[in-house]
Amino acid sequence: MTTASTPQPAADPRLDEPEEALAFFEEAAGNEDPPTPIKGVRRLLGWIIPANFGIFLIWGAIPGILLPAQIAAQFGEADKVANLTIVATIGAFCSMLAQPIAGQISDRTRSRFGRRAPWIFLGSLAGGLALIGLAFADSLVGVIIAWSLVQITYNIAQGPLSAVMPDRVPLNRRGTFAALSGIGLMVGAIGGQIVGSMFLGSITAGYVTFAVFSLVILTLFIVFNPDYSSKEIEREPFKLGDFLRTFWVNPIKHPDFFWAFTGRLLLYTGYFAVTGFQFFLLTDYFGVEKPGEVIPMLGLISLAGILIATAVSGPLSDKLGRRKIFVFASSVVTGVAFLLPWVWPDITAWMIMTFISGLGFGMFQAVDTALMSEVLPSAKSFAKDLGVVNIAATLPQTLAPGVAGAIVISMGYAALFPVAIVLSIIGAFAVWPIKAVK
């Protein structure tokens, strides 16, 4: 005689982490395949687009559109370049420090929801509150504090989100994942310019809208893409000296990491030296009386170039098994694009440049992220190391406003273009010494 046993509920894999996942977290490096995601790679590929879009919509709308407009409206036209330079430089410096610190905390987090999810949620929640604070800031000091908090909090979310690739994506899908990630990133950045320009008449409403939208999107990403539990991973002792040394990329111990870092640093510095002043370039260099009417068109033009380059270069990079040639070409294309408005100071030249630089930057975003993920030293510190890598993206935003502002004040807007060209071209050649990645 047999008796039916009572069915037992299926175990949640986040609570009972597979040995494969635990071994990966303890031993693997960036050039090794991670365990299969709980809900599969395909779902992750689909969700990284809206996740990045939710964050980069803010980076596209506020520092380049709404923040300059807010500063000009509140503190006057006469000192707008100097005031924006101060606010942007301090904010970007906070961003530069926030990602590796947030990454370190994320790597050491032990929870049933994994290492990344808690900080993606908390960062987006705190970021939304900081954005609302920025909307009601009525002094330059208040704007500096609020914008710095926006930079810190959203980087607390962005740092762990960037670690999803080495955490969960197999090597042969990383070019595709980086391409989709790049689509979300660039559509968000460009779409932010378009949507942001629509809120020029009501900046407060724009800040609140972006805050709510980002929180909803990132929360949905967490819910639909659960991670393995990190409760069983041994936490290594924290040593302040070791952490501080991670801000230095040792070219002897990790030459590939160093060259990848340097290439990204140079390209981003050149790019942001020009694009960070787009609002003022349109009004003061090209003589556009109503930039809010032109910016949406520029956004669509750039978006077309980005989508074409990203859709082709990411999957093609996976198919060919090569990364460096794409990163090299993207840096050259971006640098050459800045020739047009330099020799032809007309809004038409800026439109053509926008499309060409979109091609270059789209190709870069699609492939460079995959390249960077493959030169990371250890799975124990993916988020922290990517935070250090992202200094190459945030440091230019720290330096570019000050350097570019000084250039504009002393030599005029036209001098920005040769600086951007030289830095982009040098950045292209920086990827060739990398040996671990073809």
Side-chain angles (χ1 to χ4, degrees), residues 304-391:
I306 289 167
L307 291 178
I308 292 170
T310 302
V312 172
S313 56
L316 185 59
S317 172
D318 277 345
K319 184 175 181 179
L320 298 178
R322 294 183 177 273
R323 313 290 190 203
K324 290 196 296 185
I325 186 61
F326 291 92
V327 176
F328 178 86
S330 68
S331 300
V332 172
V333 169
T334 302
V336 171
F338 291 130
L339 274 172
L340 276 171
W342 184 28
V343 301
W344 181 20
D346 185 83
I347 187 61
T348 303
W350 184 259
M351 289 180 178
I352 298 172
M353 181 280 297
T354 298
F355 178 75
I356 297 174
S357 65
L359 289 172
F361 211 69
M363 185 187 303
F364 182 85
Q365 287 293 341
V367 180
D368 182 69
T369 306
L371 183 150
M372 297 300 303
S373 75
E374 293 175 26
V375 297
L376 298 176
S378 172
K380 295 179 180 179
S381 57
F382 278 161
K384 181 202 67 180
D385 292 335
L386 281 170
V388 175
V389 166
N390 284 332
I391 291 176

